[in-house]
């Protein structure tokens, strides 16, 4: 029982250390990863290098995958271009095995102590992140120490030795590696266990390599399960990941003995390093072989499991908890949804005045119904932003989220002005059956166009983070105010005209003036966000 507790406890420490180290590495470098990945995916080879580099730095292929899937969902990257990133990420994950294969477990406690001191004593964020990285790495090595100690009695345990001899059958080794990794959901941990077994001479080279190949398949189970119920692009990436690993395993299963021979020549009399090198060679060669087939593989996956068309995608809320793993990506996707919300609001705004001035009751009802879609999208965005606020976010991200909330509410309020207040004003026109003169229509159209244009410009200033454009919008208030004064004076001068519906007409026109003024004020609120 003590043996079981020691091994399981060591494995738990290993997994916890991996989690701590990965999160710290992501926090340290994560803010620059998105830009780097975006810039490095113009070709399949650049994508491979981007996936390799990012995963080598943060030691998490899942974070790299989330970034790639997010770019596809946002429309700034094609699914085909993510395949190179996936292959590169597979190579990047082998860095962990290379690190733990070195006999540095003796400094495990030193790393834990240094990591703790950096985290607690230092007030600098970067030093704290460095401390977490060292602390996590120390826990990884400490866990390996416990596993190594726990496995020592197995050297003389006949049933275990018999099982290890059975691993000379590569299919059995691959199956064990696949199942074990699927259970603990960490290929790095499986590789770490194999390296510990190798350090105790409890496993032969070929058996260890077979388990490592199985671990590469098992990690796909985790990816696939996590993609269920997620955006279709996430499922496509998971399917591509599985295909790459299974194809790679089928290619290598016949050459495990040759791979064992190659690694033995590279690092003779060092079985742990041979296992780590086999893991790296497996993924590097697979990537080199399959990088030329990313096009056909992408076509196959798109045919079997098609993603949304652009038309479908425009109507679908892309905000999913899947993206909350990477807050900057989630915030970018909110911006994409804000673009959709603005487009829908803008369509309503463009048609609203003509409907108010000359439309029928049927036209007004269509205008009112259009607000339901905008209301639904607003609630979805706000709900997602609330979830984002519960994540670990920095000051800059917090500011972006607050602005997104403000703009979401402003766009919904602008739509409400039209679909509620302007519709009600137009219903009075229909009730009293009066017509608006051509001269009045022209004056209202001029001031209304100015108000809508201000909203469009303000939103563009937000999209492009253009402070100068926002300042220019704010400076135009006086010109708009003068136009409002002129149209109000004309309204007052016409009070003396004799018309049976004069009071109803004045009420209608006054309400339109007030609505246009409020719409302009909402536009200015968006512009002011860029100046805060």
């Amino acid at each position: 029982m003590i043996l079981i507790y020691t091994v399981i406890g060591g494995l738990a420490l290993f997994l916890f250390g991996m989690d701590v180290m990965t999160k710290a590495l992501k926090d340290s470098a994560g803010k620059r990863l998105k830009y780097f990945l975006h810039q490095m995916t113009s070709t399949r080879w650049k994508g491979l290098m981007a996936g390799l580099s990012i995963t080598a730095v943060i030691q998490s292929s899942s974070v790299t995958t989330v970034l790639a899937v997010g770019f596809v969902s946002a429309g700034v990257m094609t699914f085909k271009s993510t395949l190179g990133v996936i292959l590169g990420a597979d190579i990047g994950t082998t860095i962990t095995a290379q690190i733990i294969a070195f006999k540095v477990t003796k400094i495990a406690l030193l790393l834990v102590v240094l990591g703790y001191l950096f985290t607690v004593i230092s007030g600098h964020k970067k030093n704290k992140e460095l401390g977490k990285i060292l602390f996590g790495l120390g826990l990884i090595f400490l866990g390996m120490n416990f596993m190594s100690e726990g496995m020592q009695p197995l050297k003389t345990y006949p049933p275990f030795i018999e099982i290890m001899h059975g691993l000379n059958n590569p299919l059995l080794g691959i199956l064990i590696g696949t199942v074990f990794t699927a259970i603990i959901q960490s290929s790095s941990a499986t590789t770490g266990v194999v390296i510990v077994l190798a350090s105790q001479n409890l496993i032969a080279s070929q058996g260890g390599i077979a388990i490592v190949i199985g671990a590469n398949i098992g990690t796909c189970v985790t990816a696939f399960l996590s993609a269920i119920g997620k955006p279709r692009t996430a499922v496509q990436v998971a399917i591509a990941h599985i295909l790459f690993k299974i194809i790679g395993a089928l290619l290598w299963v016949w050459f495990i003995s040759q791979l064992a021979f190659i690694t033995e020549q590279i690092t003779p009399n060092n079985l742990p390093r041979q296992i780590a090198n086999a893991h790296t060679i497996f993924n590097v060669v697979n990537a080199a072989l399959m990088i030329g087939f990313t096009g056909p593989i992408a076509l196959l996956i798109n045919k079997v499991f098609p993603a949304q068309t652009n038309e479908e995608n425009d109507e679908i809320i892309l905000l999913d908890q899947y993206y909350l793993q990477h807050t900057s990506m989630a915030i970018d996707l909110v911006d994409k949804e804000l673009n959709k919300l603005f487009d829908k609001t803008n369509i309503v705004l463009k048609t609203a005045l003509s409907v108010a001035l000359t439309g029928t009751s049927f036209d007004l009802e269509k205008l009112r119904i259009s607000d339901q879609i905008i209301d639904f999208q607003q609630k979805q965005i706000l709900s997602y932003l609330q979830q984002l606020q519960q994540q670990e976010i920095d000051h800059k991200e917090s500011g972006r989220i607050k602005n997104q909330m403000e703009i979401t509410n402003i766009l919904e309020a602008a739509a409400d002005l039209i679909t509620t207040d302007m519709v009600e004003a137009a219903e009075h026109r229909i009730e009293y059956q009066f017509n608006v003169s051509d001269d009045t229509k022209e004056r209202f159209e001029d001031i209304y166009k100015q108000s809508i244009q201000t909203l469009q410009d303000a939103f563009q200033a937000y999209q492009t983070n253009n402070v100068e454009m926002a300042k220019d919008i704010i400076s135009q208030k006086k010109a708009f105010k003068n136009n409002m004064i002129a149209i109000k004076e004309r309204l007052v001068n016409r009070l003396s005209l004799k018309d049976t519906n004069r009071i109803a007409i004045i009420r209608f026109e006054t309400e339109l003036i007030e609505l246009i003024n409020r719409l302009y004020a909402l536009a200015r609120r968006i512009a002011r966000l860029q100046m805060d």
Side-chain angles (χ1 to χ4, degrees), residues 10 117 221 243 284 286 311 343 364 374 397 411 420 430 462 503-505 527:
L117 291 176
V221 175
L243 272 178
V284 169
N286 285 349
E311 291 77 11
D343 289 341
L364 294 176
I374 294 172
E397 288 176 334
L411 293 177
T420 302
I430 294 173
Y462 164 76
I503 299 300
I505 294 172

Side-chain angles (χ1 to χ4, degrees), residues 51 174 177:
I174 290 172

Side-chain angles (χ1 to χ4, degrees), residues 50-182:
L52 191 162
S53 303
I54 291 174
T55 310
V57 170
I58 62 174
Q59 283 304 295
S60 174
S61 58
S62 63
V63 172
T64 308
T65 302
V66 169
L67 281 169
V69 171
F71 276 130
V72 175
S73 297
V76 297
M77 188 172 167
T78 64
F79 168 62
K80 178 182 173 182
S81 62
T82 66
L83 301 187
V85 175
I86 295 168
L87 290 171
D90 289 339
I91 300 173
T93 55
T94 66
I95 302 298
T96 304
Q98 292 292 343
I99 293 171
I100 62 181
F102 286 103
K103 294 182 178 180
V104 291
T105 52
K106 292 181 180 179
I107 64 169
L109 286 176
L110 176 62
L111 289 173
V112 170
V113 171
L114 286 175
Y116 177 77
L117 291 176
F118 267 99
T119 305
V120 174
I121 296 174
S122 178
H124 200 279
K125 186 179 178 182
K126 287 186 177 180
N127 288 338
K128 285 183 177 292
E129 288 170 348
L130 175 61
K132 290 178 182 178
I133 293 168
L134 293 175
F135 186 74
L137 193 59
L139 289 180
I140 290 171
F141 293 145
L142 191 61
M144 290 186 67
N145 273 337
F146 278 113
M147 285 190 285
S148 181
E149 290 174 10
M151 289 177 182
Q152 282 185 8
L154 295 175
K155 290 180 179 180
T156 56
Y157 187 58
F160 184 80
I161 294 171
E162 188 175 338
I163 291 172
M164 291 297 102
H165 284 314
L167 293 179
N168 289 329
N169 180 346
L171 293 178
L172 179 60
I174 290 172
L175 178 63
I176 290 174
T178 301
V179 173
F180 186 72
T181 304

